[in-house]
Amino acid sequence: MIFTTDADCVVSPEWLSTMASYFDHDVNAVASWLLIDKAETCFQKVEALDSFSFVLVGAAAIGLNRPVLANGANFAYRRSEFLKNEGFAGHDAYGSGDDDLLLQKFTKRAAKCVFVKDSRAAVYTPANTRKRDFFRQRLRWASKTRVYRLPLQIMEIVVYGLICMLVAGPFLWMGGLLSWLSCLALLSVKFAADYWFVDYGYRIIYKKVNICYFLVAQIVQNLYIPVVGLWGTLGQYEWKGRRYHKGKRR
């Protein structure tokens, strides 16, 4: 079995044994929590919630037996499955994707994946110290979506379009193209659904999510996603001294 994490992450003494215990005879991949450690400032707390939401989406997809997202900072898989799928071949030129693109390779061959909810399997990573790094990290994450399978790309385009509509809602209202009641209803439905979803997952590891930080995280996420979605897939960015264009290293 191959276990992966990042150089700046911290794992518990029971991480390996806990993750390994979920490898039943028919399980080929195991994923678990990646949590922001020591979030002290307001922005770091917002980043922690933003990052947690992505991990939770991945966990939900695995629970629905439709694995699409994983994080290489807390991921494990059978060596035999890795070799059977020719490892990272096909996406090794991209700045991101050694995790969920590999997972999608596995599931294409009907390999079973599970998500470990046990907190002993959690991996902790430091928050970004600069807002610029936060933004670049999201650009890197977005850049790999251009090589997702077509059904996933269609789903992401739909979600992206809905978020863009929410951001444009207040401007449409000011321009008289949308009633304030419709605008408020759209925002309220998204906020309520996201809050229920994140709070449900948050209680597994922590306690009740702080609604104030969650509200700020919602605003930040809705503002950066329209920009990151286009920039990450079509533009260029820099990450840890390396330059990428349309997701590939230059």
Side-chain angles (χ1 to χ4, degrees), residues 60 71 127 129:
N71 196 302
T129 55

Side-chain angles (χ1 to χ4, degrees), residues 13-232:
E14 298 171 293
W15 175 62
L16 280 174
S17 59
T18 304
M19 293 283 281
S21 68
Y22 282 79
F23 276 97
D24 293 335
H25 68 280
D26 60 339
V27 173
N28 293 290
V30 174
S32 190
W33 308 106
L34 178 66
L35 308 173
I36 300 294
D37 191 26
K38 298 177 181 177
E40 297 174 353
T41 68
C42 177
F43 188 80
Q44 287 175 343
K45 292 180 185 297
V46 168
E47 179 188 351
L49 277 171
D50 181 78
S51 179
F52 185 80
S53 68
F54 289 110
V55 175
L56 203 57
V57 168
I62 291 172
L64 293 170
N65 200 28
R66 295 290 186 274
V68 292
L69 294 177
N71 196 302
N74 195 0
F75 195 30
Y77 39 86
R78 293 190 185 276
R79 179 175 177 271
S80 58
E81 194 68 25
F82 179 77
L83 296 176
K84 186 192 304 181
N85 287 276
E86 300 180 334
F88 303 119
H91 54 78
D92 47 346
Y94 286 84
S96 182
D98 57 316
D99 36 34
D100 46 359
L101 291 176
L102 182 63
L103 175 62
Q104 290 169 30
K105 268 190 175 185
F106 293 164
T107 55
K108 191 175 182 180
R109 292 176 176 266
K112 184 178 178 181
C113 176
V114 298
F115 187 89
V116 181
K117 294 191 294 183
D118 193 325
S119 61
R120 293 174 299 176
V123 169
Y124 296 86
T125 185
N128 286 298
T129 55
R130 298 178 299 181
K131 296 179 179 65
R132 181 176 62 182
D133 292 335
F134 169 88
F135 186 72
R136 285 178 174 174
Q137 186 180 54
R138 269 61 185 173
L139 285 174
R140 186 172 65 91
W141 291 350
S143 67
K144 61 192 171 187
T145 59
R146 64 182 294 110
V147 288
Y148 277 5
R149 296 199 302 272
L150 184 60
L152 289 177
Q153 289 187 6
I154 293 173
M155 183 186 71
E156 293 224 335
I157 289 172
V158 171
V159 173
Y160 179 79
L162 290 172
I163 292 176
C164 288
M165 284 179 59
L166 287 171
V167 174
F171 300 100
L172 294 174
W173 167 61
M174 288 186 287
L177 301 174
L178 188 71
S179 69
W180 68 269
L181 193 59
S182 298
C183 183
L184 182 63
L186 287 171
L187 291 171
S188 299
V189 168
K190 183 179 185 300
F191 177 85
D194 285 357
Y195 181 79
W196 175 85
F197 179 64
V198 173
D199 185 60
Y200 177 84
Y202 209 72
R203 290 172 185 264
I204 298 174
I205 297 293
Y206 303 110
K207 296 180 180 179
K208 186 177 176 66
V209 67
N210 185 301
I211 194 168
C212 294
Y213 288 125
F214 177 82
L215 179 59
V216 177
Q218 277 274 298
I219 295 171
V220 170
Q221 194 174 77
N222 287 342
L223 290 177
Y224 84 68
I225 283 180
V227 178
V228 163
L230 283 179
W231 191 342

